[in-house]
Amino acid sequence: MSEPVKLSIVYYSSTGTGYTIAREIEETAQKEGAEVRLRKVAELAPAEAIASNPAWAANAEATKDVAEAVPDDVVWADAVIFGSPTRYGNITSQLKQFIDQLGPQWQQGLLADKVYSGFTSTATLHGGQESTLLALSNTFYHFGGIIVPPGYTDASKFADGNPYGTSHVDAQGNTPVDEVTRTAAQVQARRVVRVAADLKAGRTAA
């Protein structure tokens, strides 16, 4: 019997959109037989800033028991899905700091030959979904990773329209994660797990 795919979901979420997407990916991957680690990256914003935004404060409280990511969560995994809201068309400083801490593991070649994928959210339509995911992929190139986007591999992708990864427009908090986004997350999770499983089986057979 083959070993299950080890999937780490490493994300940053301020007001909860990213957390909701991460949980959808987690649940789908587990249904596909994967062993999953759901990890948030460390918060860098001061407590005063968090407290000034009710949605931010509520999400911080709701996710207080989610373990913080450490480099071993990436080394351990066969596949890693990173998530971040966009900040000026790029990932957040919180996720960037975590990635920057992976230098020793990168130098040892411990991040190569894994499956990588990403998801994001924005406050406005055309607010940087694609550029954020493309920027995240630049990191995967340096890792020597195998980038697995959802593409248009499922008919549902023509509803959400983002082949780079799952994305959601929350309209400044007025539009919660809906079934279109949840379906996109499910498609992405299944594809990542399947490709990682195929690669793992090939390595075992070799």
Side-chain angles (χ1 to χ4, degrees):
M1 185 176 180
S2 60
E3 293 184 0
V5 167
K6 298 175 182 176
L7 171 66
S8 283
I9 304 165
V10 179
Y11 78 95
Y12 174 72
S13 179
S14 53
T15 58
T17 298
Y19 173 63
T20 301
I21 295 171
R23 286 299 307 273
E24 192 70 39
I25 291 172
E26 176 192 30
E27 292 171 8
T28 301
Q30 288 173 336
K31 289 176 183 177
E32 294 297 306
E35 182 180 350
V36 183
R37 290 185 183 180
L38 179 66
R39 300 289 188 264
K40 65 184 180 185
V41 297
E43 180 61 82
L44 302 179
E48 295 79 8
I50 298 171
S52 70
N53 183 324
W56 198 351
N59 182 61
E61 175 65 22
T63 61
K64 64 182 180 181
D65 294 329
V66 177
E68 286 192 357
V70 295
D72 181 65
D73 293 318
V74 180
V75 174
W76 166 85
D78 301 306
V80 186
I81 302 178
F82 286 101
S84 172
T86 188
R87 293 293 184 268
Y88 307 113
N90 210 322
I91 62 173
T92 61
S93 57
Q94 288 88 344
L95 182 59
K96 184 63 166 59
Q97 176 175 312
F98 173 76
I99 289 172
D100 287 348
Q101 293 173 351
L102 298 174
Q105 291 74 26
W106 168 75
Q107 289 179 328
Q108 296 174 65
L110 299 176
L111 309 182
D113 303 328
K114 300 176 184 291
V115 166
Y116 292 96
S117 200
F119 63 91
T120 191
S121 63
T122 58
T124 60
L125 192 64
H126 307 302
Q129 297 98 322
E130 290 88 350
S131 63
T132 298
L133 293 172
L134 289 169
L136 185 57
S137 289
N138 288 333
T139 295
F140 306 153
Y141 300 139
H142 284 257
F143 286 173
I146 300 162
I147 301 173
V148 177
Y152 290 105
T153 58
D154 187 275
S156 67
K157 291 301 297 175
F158 291 94
D160 73 89
N162 192 339
Y164 304 102
T166 301
S167 62
H168 182 73
V169 179
D170 78 349
Q172 289 84 26
N174 294 312
T175 305
V177 174
D178 56 15
E179 286 308 308
V180 171
T181 301
R182 290 183 184 278
T183 299
Q186 293 162 13
V187 168
Q188 185 171 9
R190 286 193 293 266
R191 182 167 165 78
V192 165
V193 171
R194 178 176 61 77
V195 172
D198 288 347
L199 288 169
K200 192 167 186 173
R203 289 172 185 146
T204 301

